[in-house]
Amino acid sequence: MKLDQATIAKLAAHLENCELEARDTTKITDDHPEMDWDDAYAIQDEIKRRKIARGCRIVGLKAGLTSHAKMKQMGVDTPVFGFLADYFSVPEGGEIKLSELIHPKVEPEIAFVTKAALKGPGCHIGAVLAATDFVMPAIEIIDSRYRDFKFDLKSVVADNCSSSRFVVGGRIRPVEDLDLRTLGVVIEKNGEVVALGAGAAVLGHPAAAIAMLANLLGERGEEIPAGTLILSGAITEAVMVKAGDNVTLRAQDLGSVSVRFA
Ligand code: 0L1
Ligand code: MG
């Protein structure tokens, strides 16, 4: 690690305050070009610790930048992971106040819920499918705290991978009868199709993103516990939203999920 504990705490407080006050900032590597991956995840961990200390519950995990569409859109080449706090969860059909966010974008994702622990190294799609209780469609709302979504990967990881809100719903299905690679998704904004794709856009199979996450956590001596909700990553590029927009995700075999922005 290149940063000391005081700097990690200061950067975590800065990024979390930007999130809570819905204001943007320049990327933190501008002032700390020496920071490494361990520093980036240590800042994310410190943001999580701050939330837990205030009484928040951690309700899940997310894999980010798991599709080539997203990596290309963001100009990066490695997937990343973050955590989901309780207040990120928006009820199906619910409303999100734009004033609470900076410049949100929506992403269509497949959410997994585990029934057994997953631990890397060596975690693979088969282990993930065997450990999956059910899947459901999810809209992730990302909201990078970095001005104009301009960042590098370490800054993104420190910023909890742009996590801000998510909506799950639709049909809850066990994975046995689904082919998640060919499962199609369509995102509509105000009734118009704005993005579409299939599960294979996520590392060839959405379960591969969960395996990657278990392997990354395994490197840190951590595992994905049974009963964990995990967003597997965007199937399409992220779509900008504005006040008044109604967003619906229609997922083949998994029904639909909606949210509106006020
Ligand atoms: O969920 C995601 O794929 C977001 C990862 C962070 C990068 C971004 O803000 O697009
Ligand atoms: Mg995402």
Side-chain angles (χ1 to χ4, degrees):
M1 291 185 56
K2 303 290 189 309
L3 303 182
D4 59 28
Q5 194 48 45
T7 308
I8 286 168
K10 188 185 80 180
L11 291 170
H14 172 60
L15 287 172
E16 202 204 9
N17 288 335
C18 286
E19 179 220 321
L20 297 174
E21 295 162 17
R23 60 182 165 81
D24 66 10
T25 181
T26 51
K27 66 183 193 301
I28 57 174
T29 48
D30 288 350
D31 292 328
H32 299 279
E34 75 282 18
M35 71 181 261
D36 64 18
W37 292 106
D38 289 338
D39 293 318
Y41 279 108
I43 295 166
Q44 186 191 117
D45 283 346
E46 176 61 15
I47 293 175
K48 182 170 30 171
R49 193 202 61 74
R50 289 168 61 90
K51 291 192 189 304
I52 292 170
R54 281 201 311 276
C56 288
R57 285 184 56 239
I58 303 307
V59 298
L61 294 166
K62 66 168 268 185
L65 303 177
T66 50
S67 75
H68 293 298
K70 277 286 306 187
M71 289 191 222
K72 189 166 164 222
Q73 185 180 34
M74 292 300 138
V76 297
D77 57 11
T78 322
V80 289
F81 67 89
F83 66 85
L84 304 172
D86 49 10
Y87 68 93
F88 296 179
S89 174
V90 177
E92 212 281 305
E95 185 175 275
I96 295 174
K97 288 194 181 65
L98 236 77
S99 57
E100 293 176 0
L101 303 178
I102 304 163
H103 43 198
K105 297 183 187 178
V106 293
E107 300 183 330
E109 308 208 6
I110 305 295
F112 287 66
V113 175
T114 56
K115 61 184 173 192
L118 281 168
K119 194 169 169 68
C123 187
H124 51 76
I125 292 178
V128 172
L129 295 177
T132 299
D133 197 358
F134 55 86
V135 291
M136 54 189 161
I139 299 174
E140 184 183 19
I141 296 93
I142 55 165
D143 193 34
S144 174
R145 269 51 72 171
Y146 299 117
R147 197 154 301 151
D148 303 324
F149 274 83
K150 292 219 167 65
F151 45 58
D152 52 35
L153 217 42
K154 287 173 192 154
S155 297
V156 166
V157 166
D159 184 34
N160 192 23
C161 298
S162 310
S163 305
S164 78
R165 299 288 185 273
F166 67 92
V167 191
V168 289
R171 288 178 67 195
I172 286 165
R173 294 278 304 268
V175 283
E176 283 78 13
D177 301 330
L178 296 172
D179 181 355
L180 294 178
R181 290 170 310 151
T182 56
L183 188 140
V185 300
V186 170
I187 278 269
E188 293 173 5
K189 203 163 68 168
N190 308 320
E192 270 183 38
V193 174
V194 287
L196 51 87
V202 174
L203 298 178
H205 192 300
I210 311 300
M212 173 218 69
L213 178 58
N215 289 328
L216 285 173
L217 288 174
E219 286 171 17
R220 297 158 50 106
E222 296 171 24
E223 65 177 24
I224 302 175
T228 303
L229 168 77
I230 312 154
L231 303 182
S232 57
I235 293 172
T236 70
E237 72 278 12
V239 175
M240 293 283 282
V241 288
K242 57 179 181 358
D245 282 345
N246 283 286
V247 173
T248 298
L249 163 60
R250 298 189 196 283
Q252 184 183 359
D253 299 328
L254 294 177
S256 61
V257 188
S258 297
V259 69
R260 62 181 188 281
F261 291 84

CSV table of all heavy atoms in Angstrom, one decimal, residues 62-66 70 107 109 140-142 161 231-234, ligand 2:
chain,number,residue,atom,x,y,z
A,62,LYS,N,-21.8,-6.0,-5.7
A,62,LYS,CA,-22.0,-5.8,-7.1
A,62,LYS,C,-20.7,-6.1,-7.9
A,62,LYS,O,-19.6,-5.7,-7.4
A,62,LYS,CB,-22.5,-4.4,-7.4
A,62,LYS,CG,-21.5,-3.3,-7.1
A,62,LYS,CD,-21.9,-2.0,-7.7
A,62,LYS,CE,-21.3,-1.8,-9.1
A,62,LYS,NZ,-21.6,-0.5,-9.6
A,63,ALA,N,-20.8,-6.6,-9.1
A,63,ALA,CA,-19.6,-6.7,-10.0
A,63,ALA,C,-19.9,-5.6,-11.0
A,63,ALA,O,-21.0,-5.3,-11.4
A,63,ALA,CB,-19.6,-8.0,-10.7
A,64,GLY,N,-18.8,-4.9,-11.3
A,64,GLY,CA,-18.9,-3.7,-12.3
A,64,GLY,C,-18.0,-3.9,-13.4
A,64,GLY,O,-17.0,-4.6,-13.3
A,65,LEU,N,-18.3,-3.2,-14.5
A,65,LEU,CA,-17.5,-3.2,-15.7
A,65,LEU,C,-17.2,-4.7,-16.2
A,65,LEU,O,-16.1,-5.0,-16.6
A,65,LEU,CB,-16.1,-2.5,-15.5
A,65,LEU,CG,-16.3,-1.1,-15.0
A,65,LEU,CD1,-14.9,-0.5,-14.7
A,65,LEU,CD2,-17.0,-0.2,-16.0
A,66,THR,N,-18.3,-5.5,-16.2
A,66,THR,CA,-18.1,-6.9,-16.5
A,66,THR,C,-18.5,-7.2,-18.0
A,66,THR,O,-18.4,-8.3,-18.4
A,66,THR,CB,-19.0,-7.8,-15.6
A,66,THR,OG1,-20.3,-7.3,-15.6
A,66,THR,CG2,-18.4,-7.9,-14.2
A,70,LYS,N,-19.5,-2.0,-21.5
A,70,LYS,CA,-19.2,-1.1,-20.3
A,70,LYS,C,-17.7,-0.7,-20.3
A,70,LYS,O,-17.3,0.4,-20.1
A,70,LYS,CB,-19.6,-1.7,-19.0
A,70,LYS,CG,-21.0,-1.6,-18.6
A,70,LYS,CD,-21.4,-0.2,-18.1
A,70,LYS,CE,-20.6,0.3,-17.0
A,70,LYS,NZ,-21.1,1.6,-16.5
A,107,GLU,N,-28.6,0.7,-15.6
A,107,GLU,CA,-28.0,-0.5,-16.3
A,107,GLU,C,-28.9,-1.7,-16.1
A,107,GLU,O,-29.3,-1.9,-14.9
A,107,GLU,CB,-26.6,-0.8,-15.6
A,107,GLU,CG,-25.6,0.3,-15.7
A,107,GLU,CD,-24.3,0.0,-15.1
A,107,GLU,OE1,-24.2,-0.8,-14.2
A,107,GLU,OE2,-23.3,0.5,-15.6
A,109,GLU,N,-29.3,-5.5,-15.4
A,109,GLU,CA,-28.4,-6.6,-14.9
A,109,GLU,C,-29.2,-7.8,-14.5
A,109,GLU,O,-30.5,-7.7,-14.3
A,109,GLU,CB,-27.7,-6.0,-13.6
A,109,GLU,CG,-27.0,-4.7,-14.0
A,109,GLU,CD,-25.7,-4.4,-13.1
A,109,GLU,OE1,-25.3,-5.3,-12.3
A,109,GLU,OE2,-25.2,-3.3,-13.2
A,140,GLU,N,-29.6,-1.4,-12.1
A,140,GLU,CA,-28.7,-0.7,-11.2
A,140,GLU,C,-28.7,0.8,-11.7
A,140,GLU,O,-28.6,1.1,-12.9
A,140,GLU,CB,-27.3,-1.3,-11.3
A,140,GLU,CG,-26.5,-0.5,-10.2
A,140,GLU,CD,-25.0,-0.8,-10.1
A,140,GLU,OE1,-24.4,-1.4,-11.0
A,140,GLU,OE2,-24.4,-0.4,-9.1
A,141,ILE,N,-28.7,1.7,-10.7
A,141,ILE,CA,-28.5,3.1,-10.9
A,141,ILE,C,-27.1,3.4,-10.5
A,141,ILE,O,-26.8,3.4,-9.3
A,141,ILE,CB,-29.6,3.9,-10.2
A,141,ILE,CG1,-31.0,3.6,-10.8
A,141,ILE,CG2,-29.4,5.4,-10.4
A,141,ILE,CD1,-31.7,2.5,-10.0
A,142,ILE,N,-26.3,3.8,-11.4
A,142,ILE,CA,-24.9,4.2,-11.0
A,142,ILE,C,-24.8,5.7,-11.0
A,142,ILE,O,-25.6,6.4,-11.7
A,142,ILE,CB,-23.8,3.6,-11.9
A,142,ILE,CG1,-24.1,3.9,-13.4
A,142,ILE,CG2,-23.7,2.1,-11.7
A,142,ILE,CD1,-22.9,3.6,-14.3
A,161,CYS,N,-17.3,1.8,-6.8
A,161,CYS,CA,-17.8,1.5,-8.2
A,161,CYS,C,-19.1,2.2,-8.6
A,161,CYS,O,-19.9,1.6,-9.2
A,161,CYS,CB,-17.9,0.0,-8.3
A,161,CYS,SG,-16.3,-0.8,-8.0
A,231,LEU,N,-25.3,-8.2,-7.8
A,231,LEU,CA,-25.6,-7.7,-9.2
A,231,LEU,C,-24.4,-8.1,-10.0
A,231,LEU,O,-23.2,-7.8,-9.7
A,231,LEU,CB,-25.7,-6.2,-9.2
A,231,LEU,CG,-26.8,-5.6,-8.2
A,231,LEU,CD1,-26.8,-4.0,-8.4
A,231,LEU,CD2,-28.2,-6.2,-8.5
A,232,SER,N,-24.7,-8.8,-11.2
A,232,SER,CA,-23.6,-9.4,-12.0
A,232,SER,C,-23.0,-8.4,-13.0
A,232,SER,O,-22.0,-8.8,-13.6
A,232,SER,CB,-24.1,-10.7,-12.6
A,232,SER,OG,-25.2,-10.4,-13.4
A,233,GLY,N,-23.5,-7.2,-13.2
A,233,GLY,CA,-22.9,-6.3,-14.1
A,233,GLY,C,-23.8,-6.0,-15.3
A,233,GLY,O,-24.7,-6.8,-15.6
A,234,ALA,N,-23.6,-4.8,-15.9
A,234,ALA,CA,-24.5,-4.3,-16.9
A,234,ALA,C,-24.3,-5.2,-18.2
A,234,ALA,O,-23.2,-5.4,-18.6
A,234,ALA,CB,-24.1,-2.9,-17.2
B,2,MG,MG,-23.6,-2.1,-12.7
